[in-house]
Amino acid sequence: SPRMTKELQTRGVDCSENWVAKVMKHAEIRAKSAKRWIRTTDSNHRWPVAENVLDRHVTATKPNAAWVTDITDIPTGTGWLDLALVADLFSRRIVGWSMDITMTSRLVVDALTLALGRRDVTPGLIVHSDRGSQYCSEHYTNANWPGMDWCRA
């Protein structure tokens, strides 16, 4: 009711927080609270972590010189989806993506595979990711992607 009261008062409705609370209760209206942020990166794993080649220099002088990749959760009406994205640092465009209901190495492999298939990549491409288990897994690091240097923060 505090947010609703403030909104109504901003729109010129003279009301109190208690009155708004009573009306909301009668109409079965409840505030939607923000979801608590949950850390999903698992840096405590048995796989080796590559050197951080970018070292926070997040600019590129030409296309397909450096890409960054990460995973995010997206709430949907039927549950959560995991989205893996690959972005080109030069253009800031998304060049590859993949969605799934589970956060596995397949998710990130599919995103990078799509990106590599859509762009003209030359040797020396840097792919920067976090230290998450998906990006350090054997499935991801042993995939046959020629011309790429690995970089994890």
Side-chain angles (χ1 to χ4, degrees):
S1 60
R3 287 183 288 172
M4 185 67 79
T5 303
K6 186 175 180 180
E7 178 66 27
L8 288 169
Q9 289 172 347
T10 301
R11 294 181 182 208
V13 177
D14 187 28
C15 59
S16 70
E17 190 175 322
N18 289 338
W19 179 80
V20 172
K22 286 178 188 176
V23 172
M24 288 178 67
K25 185 175 182 178
H26 179 73
E28 296 181 0
I29 298 172
R30 290 177 186 83
K32 185 175 181 180
S33 55
K35 295 286 183 185
R36 199 176 115 243
W37 180 77
I38 300 172
R39 183 182 185 135
T40 57
T41 300
D42 177 13
S43 300
N44 188 18
H45 49 71
R46 60 183 170 87
W47 296 288
V49 175
E51 179 186 348
N52 186 352
V53 178
L54 280 184
D55 194 31
R56 298 192 183 267
H57 296 105
V58 289
T59 58
T61 57
K62 63 180 184 172
N64 303 320
W67 291 352
V68 292
T69 183
D70 202 2
I71 304 170
T72 190
D73 297 318
I74 300 175
T76 69
T78 58
W80 289 86
L81 277 177
D82 295 309
L83 172 65
L85 295 172
V86 180
D88 188 331
L89 280 179
F90 179 77
S91 64
R92 305 285 189 199
R93 291 188 180 195
I94 303 299
V95 295
W97 60 89
S98 179
M99 291 180 76
D100 202 344
I101 58 172
T102 57
M103 195 183 310
T104 64
S105 62
R106 168 62 48 203
L107 182 72
V108 295
V109 167
D110 288 349
L112 189 54
T113 300
L114 177 64
L116 290 167
R118 298 180 70 226
R119 302 295 285 237
D120 186 25
V121 176
T122 58
L125 168 66
I126 296 171
V127 177
H128 181 87
S129 67
D130 63 21
R131 300 173 151 226
S133 59
Q134 296 84 2
Y135 294 106
C136 295
S137 69
E138 292 174 12
H139 182 209
Y140 186 78
T141 57
N142 289 342
N144 186 19
W145 294 319
M148 289 179 33
D149 292 327
W150 297 99
C151 174
R152 289 183 185 78

